[in-house]
Amino acid sequence: MTLPTVTLRPYLPADAEAVAEIFREAVMTLTGEDYSQTQQEAWAASADNEAAFGKQLEGYLTLIASIDGEPAGFASLKDGTHVEMLYVHPASANMGVGGALIDALEKLAGARGAKDLTVDASETALLFFEARGYEPQKRNTVIRNGEWLSNTTMKKTLGEAPPRKAHS
Ligand SMILES: CC(C)(COP(=O)(O)OP(=O)(O)OC[C@H]1O[C@@H](n2cnc3c(N)ncnc32)[C@H](O)[C@@H]1OP(=O)(O)O)[C@@H](O)C(=O)NCCC(=O)NCCS
């Protein structure tokens, strides 16, 4: 299979509608094996106010991944050391978009002096992060629009290149 070329660029205010759409579609389509529909709806509702959602992303170091010029995913780094968001449109899932975004955030964070990166990984993204050298630290339960969702804080020490683990 020939994989599409993924290009990366910084987030722009004009991307607000596109990222909100990617966020909602990713949550509603990709996380159904790990969260109930009620949990998915509560999670996805975080992007209902697109202007506020976009403003939030402007406050982070946010990258947009595009395929053929169309936004396909995005990732945000908070406080230089925490992966706050990583979402890929279902139409572009499993094509390396998420991997390209996380690689780029790791390089940017490392270049800015971060020694390690953390992420509160969803159940859906746990194996994705584990395959990239992130280690589970603790389990959390967080409230999103009235629903409790579980995730796992994971940490990766930058500057080391452990062998990539394959999913079993
Ligand atoms: C988690 C998520 C961001 C992953 O995005 P993605 O673009 O599908 O990720 P990738 O394509 O880079 O990698 C996923 C899998 O695709 C396949 N893949 C990726 N690149 C590939 C390539 N070059 N050739 C063949 N297969 C490939 C692999 O099976 C890969 O598994 P790996 O983790 O063992 O490498 C996406 O599933 C998502 O948005 N999930 C819902 C929201 C969510 O939970 N976000 C995380 C919040 S912390």
Side-chain angles (χ1 to χ4, degrees), residues 13 19-20 31 33 44 47 63 65-66 81 86 96 111 123 126 132 141 152 161:
V19 291
T31 70
E33 284 184 18
L63 296 178
S66 301
T81 57
L86 177 66
E123 308 289 5
L126 195 80
R132 286 160 181 81
T141 316
T152 303

Side-chain angles (χ1 to χ4, degrees), residues 51-112:
F53 189 69
K55 274 279 169 224
Q56 192 188 352
L57 296 195
E58 273 182 59
Y60 307 136
L61 193 171
T62 300
L63 296 178
I64 302 284
S66 301
I67 294 174
D68 294 332
E70 287 298 315
F74 67 97
S76 297
L77 185 72
K78 184 183 177 188
D79 299 333
T81 57
H82 186 74
V83 179
E84 180 70 14
M85 304 241 183
L86 177 66
Y87 293 86
V88 171
H89 194 285
S92 304
N94 295 322
M95 294 178 183
V97 175
L101 282 164
I102 205 71
D103 283 353
L105 280 195
E106 287 177 9
K107 286 204 180 78
L108 283 167
R112 292 165 181 217

Side-chain angles (χ1 to χ4, degrees), residues 35 119-126 129 139 150-154:
Y35 298 93
V119 62
D120 293 335
S122 70
E123 308 289 5
T124 310
L126 195 80
F129 282 106
R139 300 264 302 145
S150 56
N151 65 36
T152 303
T153 300
M154 302 182 84

